Amino acid sequence: MRTGKAPDPSNGKVSDMSALLNGIRQNNFLVIGRAGMDFFPDPPGTRTEEAVEFRSGLGGSAANTAAGICRFGGNADLVTCVSDDSIGRYCTNQLDKYGVGRKHVRPVGGEFRNSLAVYESRVDEHQTVIYRNGAADFEMSIEDVEALDYSAYGALITAGTVFAAEPSRSAAFHAFELARKASLPIIFDIDYRPYSWPSPEVAQDVLSRAGALSDMIVGNDEEFGFMAGDIGKGQAKAEELAKSSAEIVIYKLGEKGAVTYTDTNVITTGIYPVTALKPTGAGDSFMAGLMAAIASGHELKDAIHRGSACAAIVVGKPGCAPALPDLAELESFLETHPGPSNA
């Protein structure tokens, strides 16, 4: 029986920046993580408890990131499980809509259900309610990840939620091991969601182990602080990871921008100020824009700024996946909006 023990980070580690960037530049991503369904009251500004009409959209951090990459013309195949019912089929239909490959998306029967997020398109007193009981995506198995041809991709992307429960946790760590054997760089969005985990102590241990195996790590100040065991030590944790294991660590600071650490450099970047309609979806859009920018040849600092612009676009519109920009929308935004701040 396999366990969720992580492989030794010194075993086959991608050891230089060029290997990571060259992998991303292939613009062909294997994305591991959940797809779900989003509901949001319409029109914007409506409280959920007062809503008469709702709109729906693709949800789930991994699915949103994959959809964003495809919106920019890249290739992304998703690895996950969905419920074998109408909601699961809604999710796979949405993946088709955005051009996300789903040959590695497996339906599961029984009482397993897809994730559902109900959130509001407003900032003041914003409410998001997540339904994750019996989550289908946590049924991703060792067999699912062993069926993948890792050599067919340029990089692997995943978010922390895949590690929150078994059998998904063991499968995700095994995927990291197989990716490493195939010299596939690993990009990790910490994406800590407390409601998915049995305890903060388990989450801290598991996410720290996953981070130590990753070539690029993206997270906010609270997430790095959580990994460090102290919110005040988050930035030091990010810097330490860049020196000890990861090639790139992006430490996001919300409206203050981000600090990016490499083994030899520190890059400070700002944000594009906008009037936000909602607080959700920014992280997924940032990741997609960042990957697309690196893939198209932008230098790292410029790529981070373009990712920040994508985040700004998404928080200014209803929905998460429906709000993801394509290249034309991003270029128009960059031409018409001031910023980035604190560049």
Side-chain angles (χ1 to χ4, degrees), residues 30-34 62 77-79 140 145 148 156-159 162 175:
L30 184 64
V31 184
I32 299 179
R34 74 185 188 277
D77 286 353
L78 188 68
V79 185
M140 182 181 70
V145 302
L148 307 173
L156 183 153
I157 302 173
T158 194
V162 297

Side-chain angles (χ1 to χ4, degrees), residues 87-108:
I87 305 302
R89 290 188 289 276
Y90 172 89
C91 294
T92 55
N93 288 344
Q94 286 289 301
L95 294 175
D96 290 343
K97 171 185 173 181
Y98 290 100
V100 177
R102 60 177 179 90
K103 59 185 176 181
H104 304 301
V105 176
R106 178 171 61 89
V108 294

Side-chain angles (χ1 to χ4, degrees), residues 222-297:
E222 292 183 354
E223 289 166 337
F224 279 107
F226 174 78
M227 289 174 69
D230 184 337
I231 186 63
K233 298 179 180 178
Q235 194 157 0
K237 178 67 173 180
E239 189 172 4
E240 183 271 327
L241 284 165
K243 291 179 179 179
S244 64
S245 56
E247 299 298 331
I248 298 172
V249 179
I250 300 178
Y251 180 78
K252 297 188 292 186
L253 291 163
E255 64 183 14
K256 296 180 181 179
V259 180
T260 298
Y261 296 97
T262 70
D263 188 37
T264 59
N265 199 13
V266 178
I267 303 170
T268 302
T269 50
I271 65 165
Y272 289 83
V274 293
T275 300
L277 180 65
K278 65 183 194 312
T280 54
D284 305 336
S285 188
F286 173 87
M287 178 66 82
L290 174 68
M291 294 297 103
I294 293 174
S296 60

